[in-house]
Amino acid sequence: MSRLARTHGLTDVQREILSTVREFVDKEILPVATELEHRDEYPQDIVDGLRELGLFGLTIPEEYGGLGESLLTYALCVEEIARGWMSVSGIINTHFIVAYMLKQHGTREQKEFFLPRMAAGDVRGAFSMSEPALGSDVSAITSRAVRDGDEYVLTGQKMWLTNGGTSSLVAVLVRSDEGHPEGTAPHRSMTTFLVEKEPGFGEVRPGLTIPGKIDKMGYKGVDTTELIMDGLRVPADRVLGGATGRGFYQMMDGVEVGRVNVAARGCGVAQRAFELGVRYAQQRQAFGRQIAQHQAIQFKLAEMATKVEAAHAMMVNAARKKDSGERNDLEAGMAKYLASEYCKEVVEDAFRIHGGYGFSKEYEIERLYREAPMLLIGEGTAEIQKMIIGRRLLEEYRFQG
């Protein structure tokens, strides 16, 4: 275990889980990640290994076949996995968010039906809010659900589904005006539907099409897709929580823990970039000595290590606050914002330390340089985080004039 990014106060069980995950990353992910990433190949063997470790049920309660672990345990596991290959952490993240939403908001029947199979990895989750024309403006979604007897008919197009192809359960946010009079605030007329489907691409069930993978700059291996609903019929008992109009709050609750996850990913990628930079600096010679002996490089290493440590501390604080039952949107927003920005900066400094070799696909830092930007926009852009942080600060420090 490195000196940086240690977490104090962990239980023996947490330490054992993290040790197992780190060993898996070092042996099963790092040796193959760059090759798979360059081929944009889905890491099936790695996913199977995570399933055997029980990672898909890490936070699912024991009564439903999971390990019942905390958000902190999960975030620390994500940090380790992202250190190996960020795409793999994305594969389990959307699954985790859907499981969390079911645990927090699902009906008893929904929990009993889905959670045991999700814990075993037999059902894999994805969630969908965004649409092609709205970006961060979730309240502007146009996808709709119309009641038809004991079913709803869903129509619309969704965008940026992580695991859109490989998942078999998608939590989809759409507008449903049922029971909500004209003039109702947009966020009060949204509903989350639990949509079951076959893994794959094309028409995966009547009325539901997953067109194919979106070709991306980085974050490869994991499938990112669109989702097109055209007369998709979903039973009324697949409304998350059993009542319409609660979807926005359910999704925001899921995204809140998702932001801790993105912070953890930023921490993991930054740790790996630091490892690569500090190692290369001691191998490369310039002007008759290791470049690590040059003050300019030592300054970079000092800044990188400080950022790794600071981001980790904020991520851990945000996770612990959520685990304690307190509101953590301020801390999660701060952690996500800082960790993603610091990750970008640490990766760039490691890239600079590598010099011309950093531009070569032969070196791992090239992959990290393309992966880091996704963290700046995933689960809400930096600008969205700053809006959330600013509004919460004004609530906490309201001037009483």
Side-chain angles (χ1 to χ4, degrees):
M1 182 67 73
S2 70
R3 170 70 181 269
L4 296 180
R6 293 188 179 184
T7 311
H8 299 287
L10 298 180
T11 66
D12 290 342
V13 171
Q14 287 175 313
R15 284 194 291 269
E16 183 178 348
I17 290 171
L18 289 174
S19 175
T20 301
V21 171
R22 175 171 275 261
E23 183 180 355
F24 181 85
V25 168
D26 288 341
K27 291 183 178 179
E28 306 296 336
I29 298 181
L30 279 171
V32 299
T34 296
E35 180 183 351
L36 291 174
E37 197 270 351
H38 287 165
R39 295 204 303 259
D40 197 7
E41 182 177 325
Y42 186 79
Q44 188 61 57
D45 289 344
I46 293 173
V47 171
D48 291 343
L50 293 175
R51 181 176 174 176
E52 290 178 16
L53 291 178
L55 264 291
F56 284 101
L58 186 63
T59 61
I60 293 174
E62 293 181 10
E63 63 183 296
Y64 298 111
L67 299 178
E69 276 295 327
S70 64
L71 175 60
L72 175 63
T73 307
Y74 176 76
L76 294 175
C77 288
V78 166
E79 184 178 39
E80 294 290 352
I81 292 168
R83 175 182 153 268
W85 184 12
M86 193 183 75
S87 292
V88 179
S89 63
I91 289 171
I92 61 173
N93 178 45
T94 54
H95 177 88
F96 160 71
I97 290 176
V98 176
Y100 172 83
M101 289 168 62
L102 272 162
K103 179 182 74 171
Q104 293 297 108
H105 305 288
T107 65
R108 176 170 291 279
E109 185 274 332
Q110 289 168 350
K111 293 177 186 178
E112 292 175 349
F113 184 77
F114 287 113
L115 287 179
R117 294 188 295 151
M118 293 184 79
D122 297 331
V123 169
R124 301 264 302 286
F127 78 107
S128 175
M129 291 191 298
S130 188
E131 294 180 3
L134 61 86
S136 298
D137 187 6
V138 178
S139 65
I141 64 172
T142 59
S143 298
R144 289 195 171 274
V146 177
R147 184 84 185 231
D148 183 17
D150 292 333
E151 296 179 317
Y152 286 85
V153 180
L154 277 57
T155 304
Q157 184 176 359
K158 309 299 282 187
M159 194 72 177
W160 306 120
L161 274 79
T162 300
N163 294 328
T166 49
S167 60
S168 47
L169 174 65
V170 185
V172 180
L173 184 68
V174 300
R175 192 171 300 289
S176 60
D177 296 329
E178 180 191 31
H180 306 289
E182 191 79 24
T184 298
H187 62 280
R188 294 183 184 276
S189 62
M190 296 184 190
T191 299
T192 302
F193 285 87
L194 302 169
V195 177
E196 298 164 84
K197 70 175 188 65
E198 289 296 320
F201 300 99
E203 189 172 21
V204 291
R205 64 175 279 184
L208 179 62
T209 299
I210 307 292
K213 291 170 63 174
I214 297 170
D215 194 16
K216 309 183 296 290
M217 175 179 77
Y219 198 39
K220 293 179 178 290
V222 59
D223 51 287
T224 306
T225 74
E226 299 174 71
L227 180 148
I228 299 171
M229 301 173 290
D230 184 10
L232 170 65
R233 304 188 76 87
V234 180
D237 63 5
R238 289 298 176 255
V239 170
L240 180 62
T244 62
R246 300 176 183 172
F248 182 83
Y249 303 102
Q250 294 164 347
M251 282 282 179
M252 289 304 104
D253 190 25
V255 167
E256 200 170 279
V257 295
R259 285 179 178 142
V260 175
N261 170 283
V262 173
R265 287 198 238 180
C267 292
V269 174
Q271 282 183 47
R272 184 58 181 167
F274 174 78
E275 291 172 6
L276 296 172
V278 75
R279 184 173 68 192
Y280 185 82
Q282 295 172 82
Q283 295 171 331
R284 175 73 169 170
Q285 298 268 336
F287 304 103
R289 55 180 174 164
Q290 291 178 357
I291 64 172
Q293 300 305 313
H294 293 286
Q295 189 180 64
I297 300 299
Q298 289 182 9
F299 281 4
K300 281 192 185 298
L301 294 174
E303 291 168 358
M304 293 161 69
T306 302
K307 289 171 181 176
V308 166
E309 190 78 351
H312 176 84
M314 289 198 73
M315 179 271 290
V316 168
N317 179 57
R320 281 185 160 146
K321 191 137 192 174
K322 186 75 170 179
D323 284 332
S324 72
E326 296 181 72
R327 181 176 178 180
N328 86 328
D329 53 345
L330 176 63
E331 291 76 12
M334 285 180 166
K336 191 274 176 187
Y337 168 60
L338 190 85
S340 58
E341 294 290 340
Y342 276 1
C343 174
K344 175 199 67 174
E345 294 168 11
V346 172
V347 167
E348 183 165 334
D349 278 342
F351 177 82
R352 290 172 183 266
I353 288 171
H354 280 75
Y357 288 106
F359 211 62
S360 167
K361 283 185 175 288
E362 180 183 348
Y363 283 75
E364 188 180 339
I365 191 62
E366 180 271 343
R367 168 171 64 83
L368 270 58
Y369 195 78
R370 289 183 291 102
E371 288 179 339
M374 199 287 291
L375 298 171
L376 300 172
I377 54 177
E379 310 291 7
T381 63
E383 289 72 26
I384 290 292
Q385 305 310 316
K386 287 189 278 188
M387 285 173 58
I388 293 169
I389 293 165
R391 288 170 182 169
R392 286 289 289 116
L393 289 174
L394 288 173
E395 288 179 22
E396 292 288 338
Y397 293 88
R398 188 178 303 280
F399 175 66
Q400 302 295 332

